[in-house]
Amino acid sequence: MTVTLDTTQLLERLVAFDSTSRNSNLPIADFIADYVSRPGVAVHRNESPDGTKTNLVIVAGPADAARDGLALSGHMDVVPADEPEWRSDPFTLTRVGDTLVGRGTADMKGFLAVAMHLMASFDIQRARRPLVLILTYDEELGTLGAKHFVESWAAPQQLPGSVIIGEPTSLEVVRMHKGYIKLRLEFSGIAAHSGYPHLGRSAIEPAARAVVALTELRRAMEQERPAHSREFPEVPFAALNIGTIRGGSAINVIPDRCRVELGVRLLPGMASAEVVDRIRGAVKQSVGENQVTLEVLGESPPMILRRDAPVYRWLCNAVDQDGSRSVNFATDAGWLQTLGLDCVIFGPGSIGVAHKPNESLPIA
């Protein structure tokens, strides 16, 4: 494809793709791949197990200096834009004052537009080190694309050792973030007519006892201060949230099923298996062994980068930043760091407007 678009025009094209996680991301991935493709640029696809989605790894520059290069990483999916409060078409980039409005402008197609522009204008012939784009699917569903990439990419040693993940940080350099685990509790009972309660057994009642036990566990965890808690002054503990409860079919039927889903945001250094064991123990102590099963639905590891990492020092110097920064949300960096990569979070836009109607990005 002929390269003629500036970053705003690229953002306009990217926003126009409805790459909500519930859809295939192949159309937006095809556009990105076609746009940056030229002699000397290698485009690799890392498809999802069902083939409906793909990660992209786009490489330019000398392969013999791979580890010394730089990778820019971002996700291609966005959250739904179904809110009635949108004042414009969420998939049409709209200028409002000094901002650009549209789904994904901040989270994180603005960064993707910059990364694409850099790749398209990268001087391959004069480059001493490679530039790589690592673009993922289904980050919004729990960093699923990054997890698949880490588990299936054949040559991690050929990736650059330094990675910038362009999540919206208002251009502050972030060296650590919390992780996230999602769990589901299934409670079983015996259905019966409510006029004959001796013939049934409620699944909702033990679920209610478990919710009380989980509330007590949440309060206990809020008093704990794990390692690195001082780096997260707003929420210096592992945050447990009971997110959904679904059970029963009618008022006059004793419910035989109840489902409770919860999430926990872990600090760096915390072991997810230990937290899951605490939850399992609290629940089974409140309801017994036979009425509940626990399933881990997904995990996004926490991330921490040492202060002396070159990419971190370089970015802090570039924006004249003193002091460490952290965020309470998870990113693809949690998985990418498991490949031995130095990951830092740095991108345009504010997380405060992400996942909201009229999401916007400052033009500056």
Side-chain angles (χ1 to χ4, degrees):
M1 179 180 290
T2 303
V3 178
T4 58
L5 305 179
D6 61 26
T7 51
T8 301
Q9 292 169 324
L10 279 170
L11 180 56
E12 181 178 21
R13 295 290 298 274
L14 292 172
V15 167
F17 287 97
D18 182 356
S19 57
T20 307
S21 305
R22 62 195 173 205
N23 301 327
S24 170
N25 80 327
L26 297 183
I28 190 172
D30 289 343
F31 167 71
I32 294 172
D34 289 345
Y35 187 83
V36 301
S37 182
R38 58 188 167 112
V41 175
V43 178
H44 306 280
R45 292 175 182 263
N46 175 237
E47 293 186 347
S48 62
D50 64 2
T52 63
K53 301 184 180 184
T54 191
N55 297 314
L56 291 177
V57 180
I58 302 167
V59 182
D64 57 355
R67 212 62 178 175
D68 297 326
L70 177 68
L72 306 178
S73 181
H75 58 85
M76 294 174 276
D77 62 318
V78 297
V79 297
D82 301 331
E83 306 95 337
E85 293 84 2
W86 280 92
R87 295 188 292 270
S88 59
D89 181 351
F91 298 105
T92 299
L93 191 68
T94 305
R95 179 165 182 164
V96 178
D98 294 329
T99 66
L100 298 170
V101 176
R103 174 55 83 218
T105 48
D107 188 15
M108 54 183 301
K109 291 180 176 179
F111 180 80
L112 294 187
V114 173
M116 289 174 63
H117 183 73
L118 288 172
M119 177 59 73
S121 57
F122 185 59
D123 190 340
I124 299 173
Q125 300 302 320
R126 299 178 61 184
R128 292 179 297 157
R129 294 181 291 272
L131 175 66
V132 175
L133 306 187
I134 303 173
L135 310 182
T136 64
Y137 67 85
D138 285 358
E139 189 272 350
E140 298 291 6
L141 297 183
T143 60
L144 301 183
K147 181 177 186 291
H148 173 67
F149 173 74
V150 165
E151 293 174 345
S152 62
W153 190 247
Q157 71 279 2
Q158 296 178 11
L159 296 172
S162 297
V163 185
I164 299 174
I165 290 88
E167 293 280 0
T169 66
S170 300
L171 297 178
E172 291 191 332
V173 189
V174 173
R175 72 179 189 93
M176 64 178 71
H177 68 59
K178 288 187 177 181
Y180 191 51
I181 51 175
K182 297 186 293 184
L183 305 101
R184 174 182 294 159
L185 300 171
E186 293 275 5
F187 298 86
S188 60
I190 299 174
H193 192 291
S194 64
Y196 300 87
H198 60 288
L199 300 179
R201 187 181 73 239
S202 173
I204 288 180
E205 291 176 2
R209 295 197 298 273
V211 167
V212 172
L214 289 171
T215 301
E216 294 174 354
L217 177 60
R218 172 183 63 78
R219 290 170 177 162
M221 293 171 67
E222 288 177 354
Q223 300 305 311
E224 299 169 357
R225 293 297 179 267
H228 310 295
S229 61
R230 292 184 179 181
E231 301 285 352
F232 295 86
E234 288 185 284
V235 187
F237 49 82
L240 186 155
N241 178 58
I242 301 168
T244 65
I245 302 176
R246 298 181 179 90
S249 58
I251 295 175
N252 61 348
V253 177
I254 295 174
D256 66 343
R257 288 279 179 262
C258 187
R259 172 180 293 176
V260 177
E261 293 179 337
L262 60 147
V264 187
R265 297 193 178 272
L266 309 180
L267 279 73
M270 295 186 70
S272 60
E274 294 179 3
V275 175
V276 171
D277 284 344
R278 290 184 70 180
I279 292 170
R280 181 182 289 108
V283 170
K284 290 194 173 182
Q285 185 175 5
S286 66
V287 303
E289 293 282 342
N290 299 324
Q291 284 187 270
V292 60
T293 61
L294 182 149
E295 178 185 4
V296 178
L297 300 177
E299 179 181 2
S300 299
M303 185 276 290
I304 185 168
L305 179 65
R306 65 191 189 280
R307 293 176 184 270
D308 62 351
V311 66
Y312 177 72
R313 296 202 318 270
W314 172 68
L315 274 176
C316 286
N317 289 335
V319 299
D320 195 25
Q321 176 179 310
D322 292 323
S324 179
R325 302 287 191 277
S326 65
V327 292
N328 290 313
F329 55 86
T331 79
D332 287 339
W335 287 111
L336 294 178
Q337 70 175 357
T338 66
L339 297 178
L341 310 179
D342 288 343
C343 297
V344 65
I345 318 300
F346 177 79
S350 169
I351 195 65
V353 302
H355 298 197
K356 292 183 178 181
N358 308 301
E359 178 182 352
S360 63
L361 181 70
I363 293 173

